[in-house]
Amino acid sequence: MGIQITPSILNADLSRLADEVARIPSADWVHVDVMDNHFVPNLTLGLPVFESLARATGLPLDAHLMIDDPDRWAPAYAEAGAGSVTFHAEAAKAPVRLARELRAKGARAAMALKPATPVEPYADLLGELDMLLVMTVEPGFGGQKFLDVCLPKIRRARELISAAGLEVWLQVDGGVSMDTIARCAEAGADVFVAGSAVFGADDPGRAIEALRGRARSAMSG
């Protein structure tokens, strides 16, 4: 698939969600941050809003579930039309079973790691996943500063994926901008969540193309 840009609606005007998503037709995915005020100290939106958004756009939805008990709740997002559902390793009780259930319901299965969570203990699970998300900020709020300390983990994740001969996408989320996306691409990421860098721009579509171009240059270089 090459480089993919998935703008986060966490930085959009949530009172005009359908209109905001209509501003990013060149996006590869729409990143939907679901927070429950338990796993992370913030509350965003839940399944009813997600279902409404799925009806309002033709872009594929990338559901990032920053919630407790994803084993119970994540499959409903697949049923609601998510093209990809991401659960957190720190919250899932049975990640392999959950990943298989998500795939069975037609969604791509993805697992996220918070900044302090190492990737190595999950090396044997990578074959059950379609995407691995390395958080480059602490989950819970948009607009945070990118954590450079996560770059070696991105690199290790790519090495593990490549060594196993897998076609697993490697996503980064947090502080992705024109200043940081090249470093992430050089480390091996190929899917990039960008919030304020897209929705904070005067022309979100142009911002997406600029981010994509910067990542491609870094990857090819």
Side-chain angles (χ1 to χ4, degrees), residues 98-109:
L98 178 54
R100 290 180 178 181
E101 186 174 0
L102 292 171
R103 283 174 156 181
K105 292 183 180 296
R108 295 177 63 84

Side-chain angles (χ1 to χ4, degrees), residues 60-99:
L61 301 185
D62 172 23
H64 180 190
L65 306 184
M66 289 166 270
I67 62 174
D68 283 338
D69 202 8
D71 303 76
R72 176 183 179 186
W73 299 111
Y77 285 84
E79 293 170 355
S84 178
V85 179
T86 303
F87 59 87
H88 268 264
E90 304 87 358
K93 298 178 181 67
V96 171
R97 182 177 66 196
L98 178 54

Side-chain angles (χ1 to χ4, degrees), residues 9 14 17-19 21 32 45-59 61 77 80-82:
I9 63 166
L14 295 179
L17 203 46
D19 292 338
V21 171
V32 183
L45 52 83
L47 195 58
V49 174
F50 187 91
E51 289 173 331
S52 295
L53 182 58
R55 291 193 296 268
T57 181
L59 289 172
L61 301 185
Y77 285 84

Side-chain angles (χ1 to χ4, degrees), residues 5-39:
I5 306 295
T6 170
S8 166
I9 63 166
L10 190 61
N11 299 88
D13 182 349
L14 295 179
S15 70
R16 302 172 54 251
L17 203 46
D19 292 338
E20 289 282 79
V21 171
R23 296 171 66 209
I24 54 168
S26 60
D28 296 289
W29 295 79
V30 179
H31 191 81
V32 183
D33 302 281
V34 178
M35 305 181 190
D36 64 356
N37 209 26
H38 292 282
F39 181 70

Side-chain angles (χ1 to χ4, degrees), residues 138-197:
E138 291 294 339
F141 295 92
Q144 295 183 64
K145 183 173 168 39
F146 179 84
L147 295 174
D148 282 282
V149 71
C150 297
L151 286 169
K153 183 162 72 172
I154 297 170
R155 196 166 284 110
R156 288 195 299 273
R158 174 53 66 196
E159 289 168 354
L160 289 170
I161 291 167
S162 297
L166 299 171
E167 296 293 325
V168 176
W169 297 350
L170 182 53
Q171 185 180 62
V172 291
D173 180 4
V176 173
S177 67
M178 288 294 288
D179 293 329
T180 61
I181 194 168
R183 278 174 274 164
C184 295
E186 287 166 356
D190 51 12
V191 185
F192 304 89
V193 178
S196 52

Side-chain angles (χ1 to χ4, degrees), residues 111-132:
M111 186 174 72
L113 305 174
K114 292 165 74 172
T117 303
V119 66
E120 289 84 358
Y122 300 98
D124 292 339
L125 275 65
L126 292 174
E128 300 288 341
L129 302 173
D130 297 295
M131 183 170 73
L132 180 69

